[in-house]
Amino acid sequence: DIQAKIRTALSAARAVGGGRIVFPNRPFEVAADQFSVACSNIDLHFPSQSEMRCLGRVLFDQPPTGLGYGGGYSNFTVSGSGKIVGVGASGCLQFNLIHVSGVTCREGLQFIECADLNHVFDLCGCSRVLIENTRFLGSKPSPAGTYQEFIQIGSAALAGDGWEGGRPPEVQAFFDSIDTTDVTVRNNTCAPYQ
């Protein structure tokens, strides 16, 4: 059960203040799920033969822990040159990052049909963001001809929070509507998937 293994790896990383979680170097499936990362110094690594097939909405969440820039976890990296694929009408992936300082994705990772009405990277009140040499290929059909965004550069507003089921009141207090700042997005590919 890959979901249980992801939770165990995230728990182990939290216990030691971070680490690199290496996903299988082969195709594997993940059912719809929400994973609370809740840890600084984390690297989700997808090796070259890795292909995570999302069978529903898969969410990796970094909740806020305080107010303002630095009011959250730091150093969140998605690395490797593998693939993340949204399968079927509902398969998608989202990194829901709130007040994270130091967000990096830069080694040639491919997101294939992962975007739906949500975004692959939902950056809410984050700072020091670098997304480069990443491929965003295709998206789910959108209702009424609306467009899809692979990267949402927004504010830390509770109204746009992607965590289903609601946040506890003590976490809701940390949504302070500050904008994401210090963002570099370069040398990426956004194209239809063929």
Side-chain angles (χ1 to χ4, degrees):
D1 180 0
I2 191 71
Q3 271 125 302
K5 290 179 181 178
I6 292 171
R7 287 186 205 297
T8 298
L10 288 169
S11 179
R14 279 192 291 274
V16 296
R20 176 177 252 201
I21 296 174
V22 179
F23 286 81
N25 199 22
R26 59 173 170 72
F28 63 97
E29 296 179 342
V30 178
D33 212 333
Q34 298 185 136
F35 300 99
S36 180
V37 178
C39 180
S40 289
N41 307 312
I42 198 79
D43 178 2
L44 304 178
H45 183 74
F46 296 86
S48 63
Q49 299 303 307
S50 182
E51 183 177 309
M52 184 167 90
R53 300 175 54 79
C54 303
L55 304 180
R57 182 170 180 255
V58 177
L59 177 91
F60 286 90
D61 183 64
Q62 279 286 46
T65 59
L67 295 171
Y69 300 112
Y73 296 100
S74 60
N75 304 320
F76 179 88
T77 300
V78 183
S79 65
S81 58
K83 297 177 183 176
I84 300 173
V85 180
V87 176
S90 64
C92 63
L93 173 82
Q94 181 180 3
F95 297 108
N96 193 45
L97 309 176
I98 305 150
H99 288 195
V100 177
S101 175
V103 177
T104 305
C105 181
R106 63 183 300 181
E107 294 179 8
L109 195 61
Q110 297 181 63
F111 295 94
I112 301 171
E113 295 191 342
C114 285
D116 64 357
L117 291 177
N118 296 296
H119 322 282
V120 175
F121 285 94
D122 202 357
L123 306 168
C124 306
C126 295
S127 61
R128 296 187 307 108
V129 177
L130 172 62
I131 300 174
E132 69 177 352
N133 301 322
T134 301
R135 301 184 71 192
F136 300 95
L137 305 174
S139 62
K140 302 297 178 201
S142 59
T146 58
Y147 62 92
Q148 310 295 5
E149 299 171 335
F150 298 111
I151 304 167
Q152 164 83 14
I153 299 171
S155 61
L158 189 58
D161 184 35
W163 188 258
E164 294 176 6
R167 301 270 187 186
E170 63 273 15
V171 174
Q172 289 182 21
F174 297 139
F175 284 83
D176 54 9
S177 298
I178 62 169
D179 292 327
T180 294
T181 186
D182 190 12
V183 178
T184 301
V185 177
R186 64 179 171 222
N187 300 327
N188 297 296
T189 300
C190 298
Y193 180 64
Q194 302 183 24

